[in-house]
Amino acid sequence: MNQPNEITMHLDHALSARGASIPPETSDPVFTLDNVSVYYSDYEAIRNVTLPIGRNEITAFIGPSGCGKSTLLRSFNRMNDLIPGAHLKGTVAYHGTDIYGPNVDPIEVRRKVGMVFQKPNVFPKSIYENVAYGPKVNGTKGNLDDLVEECLTRAALWNEVKDDLKKSAYALSGGQQQRLVIARCIAVKPEVILMDEPCASLDPLATAKIEDLMVELASEYTIIIVTHNMQQAARVSDRTAFFTAELDENEIRHGRLVEFGRTRELFSSPTDPRTEDYISGRFG
Amino acid sequence: MATNTVSETAEGLSLRQSRPRYGEKIIRFILALAAFVSIFTTFGIVISLLIPSIEFFMEVPITDFLFGTVWTPLFKNGEFGVIPLLSGTIVITLIAIAVAIPLGLGASIYLSEYASERVRKVLKPTLEVLAGIPTVVFGFFALEFLTQAILIKIFPEIEVFNALSAGLIMGVMIIPTIASLSEDAMAAVPSGLRDGAYALGSSKRQTAIKVVMPAALSGIVAAFVLGISRAIGETMIVTIAAGLQPQLSFNPLMGMQTMTSYIAAAGSGDLATGSIEYKSIFAVGMLLFLLTFLMNIFSIRLVRRFRQAYQ
Ligand SMILES: Nc1ncnc2c1ncn2[C@@H]1O[C@H](COP(=O)(O)OP(=O)(O)OP(=O)(O)O)[C@@H](O)[C@H]1O
Ligand SMILES: [Mg+2]
């Protein structure tokens, strides 16, 4: 009756070419999550996630709305600290150091782990000043022209803006703004880039550009992306984590990690029926 | 679908108004009237200022008025140089600004970026209560408490009526205006900008000063301008605490008269209607009106630009 095969075949087609070279197990993790639960006051938004994030890999978080993908993503750079009442149990180890441990400065964490948001949040400053912002607050002195050019080039935006660096960033299109945000992010020289539905407000052409850019950046950075777009997860990611929101024994909804593995395998032969239902479009 | 609708209309489906709606028209008239009252009043004020002012300037050359440095309207052959009143206004306003801008801005940054929701809920209304204290109370506080109990110990040579106490208290009076409007402007900055700043490794201070404040800048400047307009137009505090001596001086320990306190004092005295002294009130009023009017236009422009920034 349903045709999961046809749809998964369709995704098969999209699967990234990089997939083949990805080892079955993460050997050199940048992050290791161990039994991580994130709470908003006493509401447990996501429960007991254990997961490695491989170096220079693109990890996709997929799952239905409200299952805690954004919540979990924001725990990688302690952005949840900014929400009153939010707290975390378990350990988020970055190269073996628990980033929620004592003597860890969240500001230092955020310099290593950058973030790109769903809505392009360029600052009301010039294009140049947007890119230079991060290095400036992080204490880089002197001429930033070269760095700005390098980052805009890496973000595939240089050719479009090189004559308008002094223009307001608000004058750019949504897709250009999102690439500017990416340039601004890599100007801080992070090791990891978190992306929360970075293409959700973009048209297909701008989306394709950002996807190309992600694959390009993965040679140098470790990327975690939250997406609602199965095709996108299949096209760009090396590994995929599938989450759902379920009622527990007390009838309270909370997010859970259902399945994690190489994108290739997760999409072509999911082990959990809930994963199969979701990626074949029968759910969520 | 489309052709269907056309044919129905052609067959006489009436889309005309079926009955007159008088209520609608009356409401519309009343609402328009409400909107126009303030405009009419403004025009009325301008015209009532304008006629005696023109009469005044037919007797006193406008250059003598604008550039003269002696203001002695009650003397025989009195002089009408407005500079002493202008300097009094400027000195006292500058003192007020020096108090109100740092404190008001500081309070607004604290309220919008640092304070917890609970603290903000208590603090902001409390601060706004300050704005509700009658200015006559502030005036007596400046004269009786600030000058007599504090300033005189620090500056023994201070005059009983002095610009300093009036300026300081006037500054306190406009803190709520500046704090509250600046806080509104900063609270209106999309939270995505803050998240963006924090995600780049900014501290709270850097986020507030380098991202939130510039994003809210025109709103903040508009708050300053509004606060300054209030200071320039303030009458009671200066009349009570700064005295009624028009002097061209920049020494804040001396008494000074401002444009507003001249108008209040002269207007409540028994000047003969039609006398030149009487008309001088309107000339000073006109100048005051023009100054605050220009400042308000300026601030409206800024606020408009501030709104455009986020569409
Ligand atoms: N600031 C917050 N305060 C309280 N609860 C929150 C907050 N943010 C999210 N939640 C709750 O936590 C749960 C997970 O939210 P989250 O935004 O992480 O989901 P998501 O998987 O990213 O969803 P979407 O796909 O719609 O973005 C939801 O039930 C949500 O209502
Ligand atoms: Mg989300």
Side-chain angles (χ1 to χ4, degrees), chain B:
Chain B
M1 254 325 257
T3 46
N4 229 350
T5 321
V6 170
S7 66
E8 266 176 50
T9 320
E11 278 164 32
L13 174 83
S14 174
L15 294 173
R16 264 181 296 167
Q17 192 175 321
S18 52
R19 62 195 157 81
R21 300 192 186 93
Y22 296 115
E24 194 69 29
K25 286 193 175 141
I26 293 169
I27 294 285
R28 186 194 154 106
F29 177 75
I30 291 174
L31 293 179
L33 199 66
F36 278 106
V37 162
S38 60
I39 294 180
F40 288 143
T41 317
T42 311
F43 268 108
I45 289 173
V46 171
I47 288 165
S48 69
L49 283 175
L50 204 57
I51 294 165
S53 299
I54 290 171
E55 287 175 18
F56 174 81
F57 289 122
M58 289 199 297
E59 292 180 52
V60 177
I62 195 159
T63 46
D64 287 8
F65 176 73
L66 287 180
F67 304 114
T69 54
V70 180
W71 183 262
T72 50
L74 298 178
F75 291 9
K76 209 181 225 167
N77 301 321
E79 289 191 51
F80 292 94
V82 81
I83 295 285
L85 298 186
L86 203 58
S87 75
T89 301
I90 290 171
V91 167
I92 293 175
T93 304
L94 285 180
I95 296 170
I97 292 170
V99 172
I101 286 188
L103 289 180
L105 190 58
S108 67
I109 293 176
Y110 174 73
L111 283 174
S112 97
E113 305 302 310
Y114 286 86
S116 71
E117 192 60 35
R118 263 176 48 215
V119 171
R120 176 169 43 239
K121 277 213 176 101
V122 177
L123 216 55
K124 207 180 172 198
T126 312
L127 196 71
E128 281 161 353
V129 165
L130 257 187
I133 298 176
T135 50
V136 65
V137 175
F138 276 117
F140 273 102
F141 183 75
L143 178 67
E144 299 294 330
F145 178 74
L146 188 60
T147 299
Q148 318 269 13
I150 299 175
L151 293 179
I152 210 152
K153 302 217 168 84
I154 308 172
F155 309 105
E157 74 278 22
I158 199 168
E159 294 177 9
V160 173
F161 297 108
N162 60 80
L164 185 59
S165 64
L168 292 176
I169 291 298
M170 201 195 267
V172 172
M173 179 197 82
I174 59 176
I175 286 174
T177 306
I178 291 181
S180 176
L181 292 176
S182 308
E183 202 265 340
D184 289 346
M186 290 197 274
V189 172
S191 65
L193 289 187
R194 286 187 189 83
D195 288 345
Y198 284 121
L200 292 166
S202 313
S203 65
K204 215 163 193 154
R205 179 180 57 82
Q206 289 166 331
T207 304
I209 292 176
K210 298 195 171 182
V211 173
V212 179
M213 247 176 62
L217 189 65
S218 12
I220 293 172
V221 174
F224 289 173
V225 174
L226 205 70
I228 296 168
S229 299
R230 282 199 62 193
I232 293 176
E234 213 297 309
T235 309
M236 222 25 139
I237 297 176
V238 285
T239 306
I240 295 170
L244 298 169
Q245 272 308 321
Q247 0 201 16
L248 176 51
S249 162
F250 290 96
N251 178 357
L253 302 181
M254 288 170 59
M256 284 179 197
Q257 190 167 39
T258 63
M259 294 189 279
T260 51
S261 60
Y262 171 71
I263 295 172
S268 56
D270 45 3
L271 295 172
T273 312
S275 67
I276 180 74
E277 300 82 31
Y278 178 79
K279 287 174 197 158
S280 74
I281 296 173
F282 294 90
V284 173
M286 191 75 201
L287 181 64
L288 189 61
F289 175 81
L290 284 178
L291 285 178
T292 39
F293 183 70
L294 287 178
M295 290 202 64
N296 282 339
I297 296 269
F298 178 63
S299 78
I300 288 168
R301 281 254 170 108
L302 276 173
V303 170
R304 209 167 275 158
R305 211 196 296 159
F306 164 68
R307 291 222 183 95
Q308 276 170 355
Y310 305 114
Q311 278 113 26

Side-chain angles (χ1 to χ4, degrees), chain A residues 65-66 68-71 74 118 196-197 226 228:
Chain A
S65 203
K69 305 178 295 293
S70 300
T71 302
R74 283 196 305 263
Q118 176 174 345
D196 194 349
E197 302 184 45
V226 170
H228 277 279

Side-chain angles (χ1 to χ4, degrees), chain A residues 3-280:
Chain A
Q3 300 115 356
N5 286 333
E6 191 182 308
I7 294 161
T8 39
M9 254 167 57
H10 193 47
L11 290 170
D12 256 352
H13 198 68
L15 282 171
S16 92
R18 293 156 45 82
S21 60
I22 299 298
E25 295 296 325
T26 311
S27 56
D28 182 16
V30 172
F31 271 105
T32 313
L33 265 54
D34 186 22
N35 263 311
V36 170
S37 306
V38 187
Y39 299 77
Y40 293 110
S41 299
D42 43 17
Y43 171 62
E44 187 177 18
I46 186 154
R47 175 178 293 180
N48 288 350
V49 177
T50 298
L51 183 76
I53 302 292
R55 183 199 296 272
N56 292 5
E57 288 182 4
I58 302 180
T59 306
F61 287 179
I62 61 170
S65 203
C67 67
K69 305 178 295 293
S70 300
T71 302
L72 188 67
L73 192 72
R74 283 196 305 263
S75 64
F76 284 91
N77 64 344
R78 295 192 56 168
M79 284 299 278
N80 283 329
D81 291 22
L82 303 172
I83 300 170
H87 59 107
L88 178 143
K89 282 194 186 134
T91 49
V92 180
Y94 174 63
H95 293 295
T97 309
D98 182 5
I99 62 167
Y100 288 83
N103 306 324
V104 172
D105 180 2
I107 291 175
E108 288 304 322
V109 173
R110 294 183 198 129
R111 288 175 186 175
K112 297 273 189 294
V113 187
M115 189 162 198
V116 174
F117 300 81
Q118 176 174 345
K119 249 188 91 193
N121 54 357
V122 298
F123 298 142
K125 301 175 187 283
S126 70
I127 293 169
Y128 182 99
E129 286 299 326
N130 263 276
V131 183
Y133 176 87
K136 276 187 184 167
V137 300
N138 291 317
T140 312
K141 294 265 176 343
N143 193 325
L144 295 169
D145 292 358
D146 291 343
L147 181 65
V148 169
E149 176 174 350
E150 181 197 325
C151 295
L152 285 169
T153 308
R154 295 281 293 147
L157 190 59
W158 176 251
N159 286 331
E160 289 158 63
V161 301
K162 62 172 181 265
D163 299 321
D164 302 315
L165 293 178
K166 294 277 169 281
K167 258 202 348 212
S168 165
Y170 279 31
L172 299 175
S173 74
Q176 288 174 323
Q177 289 192 5
Q178 200 62 305
R179 277 177 282 149
L180 179 61
V181 170
I182 292 172
R184 186 178 75 182
C185 174
I186 59 185
V188 183
K189 303 195 188 307
E191 182 182 4
V192 183
I193 303 176
L194 310 174
M195 298 185 169
D196 194 349
E197 302 184 45
C199 303
S201 60
L202 304 183
D203 65 63
L205 216 72
T207 300
K209 280 194 177 155
I210 302 273
E211 286 181 5
D212 289 347
L213 181 56
M214 278 190 269
V215 173
E216 165 79 27
L217 290 174
S219 61
E220 206 173 322
Y221 303 92
T222 300
I223 296 175
I224 310 177
I225 175 177
V226 170
T227 178
H228 277 279
N229 180 337
M230 290 310 109
Q231 301 273 340
Q232 182 167 68
R235 275 193 298 262
V236 303
S237 75
D238 304 314
R239 289 180 209 272
T240 298
F242 170 66
F243 300 85
T244 58
E246 291 180 340
L247 295 176
D248 66 5
E249 55 291 352
N250 302 320
E251 301 284 297
I252 296 172
R253 273 173 73 85
H254 59 267
R256 303 213 82 156
L257 173 62
V258 174
E259 190 166 347
F260 172 67
R262 288 193 287 186
T263 301
R264 196 163 264 272
E265 279 148 25
L266 190 128
F267 276 92
S268 53
S269 49
T271 54
D272 195 290
R274 290 168 297 182
T275 315
E276 182 168 351
D277 284 353
Y278 184 75
I279 60 177
S280 59

